[in-house]
Amino acid sequence: MKLSVTSWNINSVRLRIDHLARHIAEVQPDVICLQETKCPNDRFPLKALKALGYEHIAFHGQKGYHGVATLSRLPFSTTESMSFCGKDDARHLAVTFGPGAGAASGITVHNYYVPAGGDIPDPDLNPRFAHKLAFLDELMQWSDRAKPTAAPSILVGDLNIAPYESDVWNHKALLNVVSHTPIETTRMEEWRQAAGYVDAIRHLTPVPEPVFTWWSYRSPDWAAANKGRRLDHVWLAPSLVPTLKEASIGKAARGWERPSDHAPVTVTLEL
């Protein structure tokens, strides 16, 4: 059984539902994890998304900001949404596939949207950056407590950190830029390793090959400049790594009309 999973910071699910439909037509993923849906639960386009072939949908949103959703062709038996840093700001959603999901039954998919952190990489001067670091600390605590890779699991999302030198267009130029500062990259790697996850993208495309998933709206000619960062990630529990067959970045979607600044990331497992 093949299981394909897309992770995409859609930057408003209602505004870009046609983009989502186009991605589905081209890639046909079994599971889609969206971040930054920017949609309260009572306005979520459930009917329209089910019409695209995803009967099983979980979502956790709020007005105007953040929000996560998981769309699946396969049934899931449980859902969970955790809060961090004393804020219920819709940044996590987990589903576990249940009976009827075939070989995928029992796999948990965690969908995360880590805070961006603002522009100033100093927690004393920037409360948003302080929040990001605290969020990462709580993710470490969650990993120690929940041991998420003790069973088959996948962690995806816009983690808002580019951890390796070749995950950004210019390592030296971005060392003091939020998303690539040493304090962020170190904490992210400590969290991933403590949780026991394997970076799926880098498993198939090792460093130093450049890999980007995000290109700023501020760049008028983003494709030519290619000043990207790899902010979107897919991690696998070790038990699932032997099933990993393919990983792709849908860079073309960044060039669609009124696009998200993130490209969809898709992995395919052979279970």
Side-chain angles (χ1 to χ4, degrees), residues 179-193:
S179 79
H180 193 60
T181 66
I183 190 172
E184 295 170 89
T185 59
T186 298
R187 288 196 190 191
M188 178 175 171
E189 279 295 273
E190 289 176 346
W191 164 41
R192 183 184 64 78
Q193 292 174 17

Side-chain angles (χ1 to χ4, degrees), residues 41-240:
N41 288 339
D42 62 356
R43 301 290 299 279
F44 190 81
L46 185 62
K47 184 176 180 180
L49 295 178
K50 284 190 173 186
L52 294 175
Y54 295 83
E55 185 64 29
H56 310 280
I57 299 177
F59 50 93
H60 180 40
Q62 63 184 109
K63 183 179 180 180
Y65 298 95
H66 318 139
V68 285
T70 298
L71 290 56
S72 176
R73 299 185 190 276
L74 305 172
F76 43 80
S77 56
T78 63
T79 64
E80 178 189 15
S81 180
M82 293 185 291
S83 298
F84 294 84
C85 303
K87 300 174 182 285
D88 186 19
D89 54 357
R91 293 185 178 275
H92 171 261
L93 185 63
V95 304
T96 300
F97 294 113
S105 181
I107 296 176
T108 298
V109 178
H110 290 278
N111 183 2
Y112 274 103
Y113 179 37
V114 172
D119 294 326
I120 302 171
D122 186 332
D124 295 326
L125 300 177
N126 179 4
R128 295 175 64 188
F129 193 66
H131 177 216
K132 183 176 190 176
L133 298 181
F135 196 100
L136 291 169
D137 286 343
E138 291 198 11
L139 284 170
M140 178 74 81
Q141 296 166 16
W142 165 73
S143 297
D144 290 341
R145 180 179 67 253
K147 304 195 182 315
T149 58
S153 69
I154 304 170
L155 188 151
V156 309
D158 177 4
L159 305 184
N160 263 314
I161 298 172
Y164 307 137
E165 292 187 14
S166 52
D167 288 337
V168 296
W169 66 275
N170 188 318
H171 167 63
K172 290 183 179 179
L174 271 68
L175 276 172
N176 201 39
V177 174
V178 173
S179 79
H180 193 60
T181 66
I183 190 172
E184 295 170 89
T185 59
T186 298
R187 288 196 190 191
M188 178 175 171
E189 279 295 273
E190 289 176 346
W191 164 41
R192 183 184 64 78
Q193 292 174 17
Y197 281 109
V198 173
D199 184 335
I201 303 300
R202 284 306 183 186
H203 184 75
L204 294 180
T205 309
V207 170
E209 182 74 20
V211 180
F212 308 144
T213 67
W214 174 91
W215 295 264
S216 175
Y217 285 132
R218 298 174 185 175
S219 177
D221 194 354
W222 68 273
N226 200 30
K227 294 183 176 181
R229 306 178 205 174
R230 186 173 72 108
L231 304 181
D232 306 271
H233 300 268
V234 178
W235 297 350
L236 302 177
S239 61
L240 291 177

